[in-house]
Amino acid sequence: INPKERELVAYHEAGHTIIHLQTSLLAPLYKVSIVPRGQALGATVLLPDEDQILQSKAMLVEQLLVLMGGRAAERTFFGSTTNGASGDLDMARKIARKMVHEWGMGEKLYYEAERQDAETEINRLLETADKKAHEIIQVQKANTERLAKALLEQETLTHEEVMALLDQGETGTAQRASTSTGCSPLKV
């Protein structure tokens, strides 16, 4: 990976992490890395404290928000997005589609599979998450940049290292409202 792409990956992963620190319902951050593995150029890894089978609409919306964090950071720091966010977008689209079609979490309880109103609802969920992620990254721009620069130096940071870097400790300004868990470790 060339230096410019490595830098972009660092900001992308920093975006996921900064957004995640603003959530309260998802599994805790385990680590963030810009070491390429398989198809992934980097990863923000969440590790639940315990297994959780059920997910609320609010939790799923937070997942969408975190998935959009990388794109938001790319747009904020580089002026546009790259195809590196395609996996995030695909995962977000799948979650939003299931929310609307399978789990009855849309504005209406039921949508016929091929109806345009269902697609409009899915797109609304994605656009709302994308917009809110961008707003958070704008507000947290200095922290996002600080985290990205640390990733460029160290490549992998644990939860504790991220919190120390952002000078927030375990109960700082990005304090989680709860430590509820997600289902399985989520790589975004």
Side-chain angles (χ1 to χ4, degrees):
I1 185 168
N2 72 48
K4 186 65 179 168
E5 287 180 341
R6 187 172 179 271
E7 180 183 30
L8 197 137
V9 171
Y11 279 87
H12 181 99
E13 294 306 326
H16 286 307
T17 302
I18 292 296
I19 298 292
H20 175 266
L21 293 174
Q22 307 303 309
T23 67
S24 63
L25 301 174
L26 300 180
L29 175 71
Y30 176 66
K31 69 179 178 178
V32 57
S33 177
I34 60 167
V35 176
R37 287 197 174 82
Q39 297 289 334
L41 297 176
T44 299
V45 182
L46 312 182
L47 189 62
D49 296 323
E50 59 187 26
D51 290 337
Q52 183 169 351
I53 306 221
L54 301 175
Q55 295 179 308
S56 67
K57 180 177 181 179
M59 182 183 288
L60 293 165
V61 167
E62 283 190 359
Q63 282 185 19
L64 295 177
L65 186 62
V66 171
L67 285 164
M68 295 300 182
R71 289 173 44 87
E74 287 182 19
R75 206 165 53 240
T76 298
F77 291 95
F78 299 95
S80 65
T81 58
T82 67
N83 64 341
S86 66
D88 300 331
L89 202 51
D90 185 52
M91 189 182 300
R93 200 174 10 255
K94 286 176 182 174
I95 291 169
R97 187 169 305 287
K98 284 184 177 188
M99 288 174 72
V100 169
H101 286 296
E102 295 178 28
W103 301 327
M105 295 179 179
E107 300 248 338
K108 296 194 299 188
L109 184 59
Y110 176 77
Y111 294 90
E112 292 184 36
E114 301 301 317
R115 295 277 312 254
Q116 183 59 38
D117 57 344
E119 293 306 308
T120 299
E121 177 71 11
I122 291 164
N123 199 49
R124 185 191 62 76
L125 285 166
L126 296 173
E127 286 181 352
T128 300
D130 189 55
K131 180 180 179 199
K132 184 167 172 94
H134 191 256
E135 290 170 0
I136 291 170
I137 294 297
Q138 290 294 324
V139 169
Q140 294 289 329
K141 192 172 180 177
N143 281 333
T144 305
E145 187 162 31
R146 186 177 306 127
L147 181 54
K149 287 180 177 180
L151 284 168
L152 287 167
E153 289 179 18
Q154 299 176 19
E155 293 191 326
T156 300
L157 298 169
T158 65
H159 171 264
E160 293 78 17
E161 291 168 328
V162 168
M163 298 310 284
L165 174 76
L166 300 178
D167 197 28
Q168 297 173 339
E170 289 297 318
T171 58
T173 58
Q175 179 180 2
R176 301 163 72 80
S178 73
T179 55
S180 299
T181 62
C183 50
S184 60
L186 176 64
K187 288 186 178 182
V188 292

